[in-house]
Amino acid sequence: MIAILAISGMLPHTLYAQDSTEVVATTKKDTIVFNGSITATNKGISTIPSSTLGKAATIFYFSFRKDKLSFEPELRFDMEDLKPWAFIFWWRYRIVENEKWRLQIGVNPSLSFKSQSIIKNGETEKILAVERAPTADIAPTYFLSNKVNLGLYYMYTHRLEGTTRNTHFLAFRTNVSKLMIEDYEFRVSPQIYYLRIDGQEGIYASSGVSVNKQNLPFTLSALFNRKINSNITIGDDYIWNVSLTYNFGNRYIGL
C-alpha cells in the first residue's frame, strides 16, 4: 500500500510513508505541516487490477495537514510515455487520534487516464481518455506500541466511466516499523484483503518492505501482491515492484 496503497484503486501511499503522528502532535492547531515525496518505480501497480499501469512510473506525493484535516494529492505518470496515469486527491480527517487509537475517514475525487483508439476522418488515432472514480474510505488503527500497529481499511469506489462500476476493498493490515540494523531502519507492512468488483470477488495478500538509512532522505521499497482465491478475471495472479523514493521531510507553516 500503497501501496503501499491506496487507493482510488491505488495502494495507499502511507504504506511506506514516514509516520508523522508524533511530529504533528507537538505542533499548534494553527500550523500547517507539509511533507512530500517523489517515487520512481519499475512497475506501476495497484491492488485494484484495472488500475495497474504495468510499466515504469513516477509518483509525486504531497501532504498538507492542519490539526486533524489533511489534503494529500498524488500525481502518477507513465515514465516511458510521459503521460499521466492517475491523479489522486485525498481529503482526510482524523476523527480519533490518541496514543492507542486512530480513526480516519477520507474522500477522493480521483482521475485515471487510459489510452484509447478512435476513428477520425477514416483514420485511427490514439487519445488519452479520463475516467472519474469518486472514492471514500475509513481506517481504524490500533497501536500496540510505537513500532507495531494493526488496523482495518475499507474503501468504496464508484467509477463513472470504464468497464467496471462498483469496487469494494476491505483489508486487515499490520505495520511493523523502526526495526533497526545499525543505521538502517526497516519497515514491513503485510495485509490480507477482500476485493469485490461488480459481481466478481476474491481474496488477496500483499506485503510491502522498505529500508532507509538514518539522516538520508531516500527509501528503497518493494511490494508483492498475490491472488489467493479469486474469480476476478482482470489482472495477474502475482505482481511485484521495486521503488526508490526521495522524501521531503516535515516542514511547518505558521498561520
Side-chain angles (χ1 to χ4, degrees):
M1 186 207 190
I2 85 257
I4 13 239
L5 35 145
I7 291 180
S8 125
M10 316 295 175
L11 276 171
H13 177 273
T14 50
L15 187 65
Y16 303 115
Q18 179 181 359
D19 191 346
S20 59
T21 304
E22 295 179 2
V23 177
V24 174
T26 62
T27 63
K28 298 179 180 179
K29 290 186 177 182
D30 58 353
T31 299
I32 295 176
V33 179
F34 167 73
N35 57 61
S37 64
I38 301 173
T39 298
T41 180
N42 70 311
K43 185 181 295 184
I45 65 176
S46 167
T47 50
I48 309 301
S50 60
S51 298
T52 291
L53 179 64
K55 50 186 176 179
T58 304
I59 302 168
F60 299 87
Y61 168 82
F62 307 94
S63 175
F64 304 86
R65 183 180 175 195
K66 181 181 179 184
D67 196 16
K68 295 184 177 183
L69 179 67
S70 64
F71 175 55
E72 302 172 14
E74 187 170 323
L75 309 177
R76 301 183 172 199
F77 293 88
D78 178 341
M79 193 182 295
E80 295 179 8
D81 299 329
L82 301 179
K83 294 179 180 179
W85 163 28
F87 289 170
I88 305 168
F89 305 100
W90 278 111
W91 286 93
R92 288 196 162 103
Y93 185 78
R94 297 184 179 185
I95 300 174
V96 177
E97 185 175 25
N98 54 51
E99 291 183 356
K100 287 297 183 181
W101 287 98
R102 178 192 299 165
L103 177 60
Q104 179 174 271
I105 58 174
V107 293
N108 166 28
S110 66
L111 305 173
S112 60
F113 301 86
K114 305 285 185 180
S115 292
Q116 294 183 359
S117 298
I118 64 170
I119 304 297
K120 185 176 181 181
N121 298 326
E123 297 183 356
T124 302
E125 293 185 5
K126 281 193 173 183
I127 63 170
L128 197 63
V130 180
E131 296 182 359
R132 298 165 295 170
T135 302
D137 71 358
I138 183 169
T141 304
Y142 178 72
F143 294 86
L144 293 174
S145 68
N146 65 341
K147 294 182 179 181
V148 181
N149 62 67
L150 310 172
L152 294 175
Y153 179 82
Y154 172 73
M155 181 201 70
Y156 171 72
T157 297
H158 178 71
R159 289 184 176 272
L160 301 179
E161 294 86 17
T163 57
T164 63
R165 284 292 178 265
N166 299 299
T167 297
H168 299 268
F169 178 96
L170 177 63
F172 172 75
R173 58 190 188 182
T174 63
N175 184 63
V176 182
S177 61
K178 301 179 182 179
L179 300 175
M180 302 302 301
I181 300 179
E182 296 183 350
D183 292 335
Y184 293 89
E185 179 182 346
F186 291 82
R187 172 178 294 197
V188 182
S189 305
Q191 69 173 355
I192 185 168
Y193 63 93
Y194 168 78
L195 180 64
R196 182 178 179 86
I197 303 177
D198 293 333
Q200 300 179 337
E201 59 186 358
I203 302 293
Y204 298 77
S206 70
S207 182
V209 180
S210 68
V211 59
N212 65 279
K213 193 174 189 298
Q214 285 189 327
N215 302 319
L216 287 181
F218 296 97
T219 300
L220 181 65
S221 61
L223 174 68
F224 308 91
N225 191 86
R226 175 172 288 279
K227 180 189 296 184
I228 297 176
N229 184 18
S230 175
N231 61 13
I232 297 175
T233 56
I234 307 171
D236 299 326
D237 291 350
Y238 177 72
I239 53 176
W240 64 275
N241 72 3
V242 177
S243 304
L244 179 64
T245 299
Y246 171 73
N247 302 289
F248 294 32
N250 291 290
R251 301 177 184 178
Y252 307 91
I253 306 170
L255 297 180

